Amino acid sequence: MPTTTSTSPTASTEHLTDLADLKSKLARMCEKSGIKQRFAHLTEEILAANPQSSPTARRHPSTPAVPELSASAAAKAIAEWGRPATEITHLIFSTSSAAARASSADRHLASLVGLSPTVSRTMLSLNGCAGGGRSLQLAKELAENNRGARVLVACCEITLPGFYGPGDGCLDNILGQALFGDGAGAAIVGADPVGPVERPLFEIAFASQTTIPGTEDVIFMEIKKGGMDYRISNQFPRLIGCNVERCLIDALDALGVCAKWNDLFWAIHPGGRAILDRIDGVLGLDDGKLAASRHVLSEFGNMSGTTVIFVLDELRRRRAANQDGGEAPEWGVMMAFGPGITIETMVLHAPAGSMLEGN
Ligand SMILES: CCCCCCCCCCCCCCCCCC(=O)SCCNC(=O)CCNC(=O)[C@H](O)C(C)(C)COP(=O)(O)OP(=O)(O)OC[C@H]1O[C@@H](n2cnc3c(N)ncnc32)[C@H](O)[C@@H]1OP(=O)(O)O
């Protein structure tokens, strides 16, 4: 929190009271957030060693740390996939933290990972927490329409551009200070797996995007000179709660899959504890159905579009270890929510034996 050197004792005292109120509000939000820990990629040492580490420049979203952190996630995904990086045909990279620079972060990422110069790149900027879902949906389209395509999906957020005190910007961003954390995730999407090297984890059976009318201003993000200005209305959990069931019914109907909500496995973007509680309540889910989402929220916080990739990873770990007990459902859903309000919905299929031990 910044301190002031105001010459007016009255103004100074009021300001300090405001800050004290804000600090206890932040503490209340953190306590109820369901988040045990979060991570920050950029340490004081990295910032001090970086020539861009002035108070303003360090907030600017053009930091090279975004492609660097993404490259470590992408390298792990490629190693697990088992084929050379040069056989990746497409790259989709989603971030809100490095959205204001060209040549862009996806180009930097491609060279850090050693992708072919002919790789076809697409960068998604400012899709916020829907970015992971959007990237996976686009990857599905590319994979199904280009024979032999292998699409590397990478998502990364570094919260530094949105990390500033109340004296520097809008007080509304306090929610972000309570929720967001840094992280990067990656996955490879393709059709017609080449056995025995390629072992599918989840099949994306259906994907859709829904925009909720009249909600343009519920989430607001804008890159400014000093960093990211953003606001998230406290109506967000309610609006998600009012709309998820329709999206799910439409998606399952399109596939002709008939299932009760509790017969499915669940990968929901854990935007905040209140969003998961709302979905639990609206759909009447059994205890533990959103365990993978709650675990990721607790251990990493909300990493925006990256989070849903962590949830899918946690889900397959739990299924491989049979952590949630009983027979693992064959069908499941993935949902992510972002500015718009946009809801990304996917129906996933995980045939028995598709998630090998130790993956
Ligand atoms: C994207 C990364 C980009 C990286 C670049 C760098 C920039 C980094 C950040 C950019 C952010 C951009 C966002 C884009 C992401 C979009 C998608 C998302 O997931 S969006 C995220 C989606 N996530 C959400 O929308 C979070 C959902 N909300 C929650 O999970 C809970 O409400 C809670 C945990 C915050 C509080 O628990 P709960 O049980 O409700 O407890 P109580 O009722 O007791 O309230 C306690 C206090 O909290 C207060 N308050 C509540 N809401 C808000 C608000 N919106 N506002 C302000 N304050 C709020 C409330 O007034 C009260 O204050 P007080 O009376 O004590 O003084």
Side-chain angles (χ1 to χ4, degrees), residues 7-8 25 27 57 101 132 148 177 190-191 224 232 244 248 260 291 294 336 349:
T7 51
S8 156
K25 187 186 186 81
R101 186 184 199 180
Q177 312 298 355
K224 295 195 167 164
I232 301 158
V244 279
L248 290 165
K260 296 191 176 115
R294 290 192 190 276
H349 186 230

Side-chain angles (χ1 to χ4, degrees), residues 24-25 28-30 32-34 61 95-98 127-130 157-163 171-172 174-176 178-180 219-221 228 230-237 269-275 277 302-305 337-339:
S24 52
K25 187 186 186 81
R28 287 194 292 282
M29 292 170 96
C30 289
K32 293 181 173 181
S33 66
T95 185
S96 301
S97 344
N127 278 237
C129 302
E157 263 357 311
I158 285 190
T159 50
L160 190 70
F163 191 77
L171 298 189
D172 294 353
I174 188 171
L175 180 68
L179 295 183
F180 290 113
I219 297 181
F220 164 87
M221 301 161 74
M228 169 88 71
Y230 63 94
R231 226 157 301 141
I232 301 158
S233 158
N234 60 9
Q235 295 303 305
F236 190 58
H269 166 61
R273 196 217 76 242
I275 295 171
D277 288 355
N302 179 344
M303 298 166 288
S304 189
F337 321 107

Side-chain angles (χ1 to χ4, degrees), residues 81-314:
W81 171 50
R83 290 174 55 183
T86 47
E87 290 182 14
I88 294 286
T89 55
H90 298 75
L91 168 66
I92 300 177
F93 182 43
S94 173
T95 185
S96 301
S97 344
R101 186 184 199 180
S103 60
S104 52
D106 59 328
R107 189 219 183 277
H108 192 178
L109 170 62
S111 60
L112 285 175
V113 182
L115 303 186
S116 161
T118 60
V119 75
S120 175
R121 294 180 284 110
T122 304
M123 174 129 166
L124 302 182
S125 299
L126 294 175
N127 278 237
C129 302
R134 187 88 298 257
S135 305
L136 288 167
Q137 292 204 23
L138 288 178
K140 168 180 161 62
E141 303 294 333
L142 287 170
E144 288 173 350
N145 290 295
N146 295 276
R147 184 177 292 276
R150 291 297 177 267
V151 187
L152 172 61
V153 168
C155 301
C156 179
E157 263 357 311
I158 285 190
T159 50
L160 190 70
F163 191 77
Y164 45 85
D168 297 343
C170 170
L171 298 189
D172 294 353
N173 75 14
I174 188 171
L175 180 68
Q177 312 298 355
L179 295 183
F180 290 113
D182 294 359
I188 289 151
V189 178
D192 304 322
V194 178
V197 178
E198 294 184 319
R199 294 160 302 158
L201 301 170
F202 296 104
E203 292 169 9
I204 306 173
F206 179 83
S208 67
Q209 183 185 63
T210 306
T211 308
I212 306 176
T215 58
E216 295 85 342
D217 299 324
V218 172
I219 297 181
F220 164 87
M221 301 161 74
E222 186 174 8
I223 295 173
K224 295 195 167 164
K225 199 170 175 201
M228 169 88 71
D229 187 8
Y230 63 94
R231 226 157 301 141
I232 301 158
S233 158
N234 60 9
Q235 295 303 305
F236 190 58
R238 184 186 64 78
L239 288 163
I240 294 297
C242 293
N243 287 279
V244 279
E245 191 158 26
R246 184 74 262 153
C247 295
L248 290 165
I249 290 169
D250 289 349
L252 291 169
D253 278 358
L255 271 181
V257 171
C258 183
K260 296 191 176 115
W261 300 138
N262 281 306
D263 293 341
L264 301 171
F265 64 83
W266 291 83
I268 299 289
H269 166 61
R273 196 217 76 242
I275 295 171
L276 296 180
D277 288 355
R278 188 67 72 147
I279 292 174
D280 256 340
V282 167
L283 301 178
L285 296 180
D286 292 343
D287 280 355
K289 274 288 167 187
L290 299 186
S293 299
R294 290 192 190 276
H295 176 81
V296 170
L297 181 66
S298 164
E299 300 303 311
F300 300 96
N302 179 344
M303 298 166 288
S304 189
T306 305
T307 327
V308 84
I309 295 183
F310 276 59
V311 175
L312 289 173
D313 196 37
E314 177 62 23

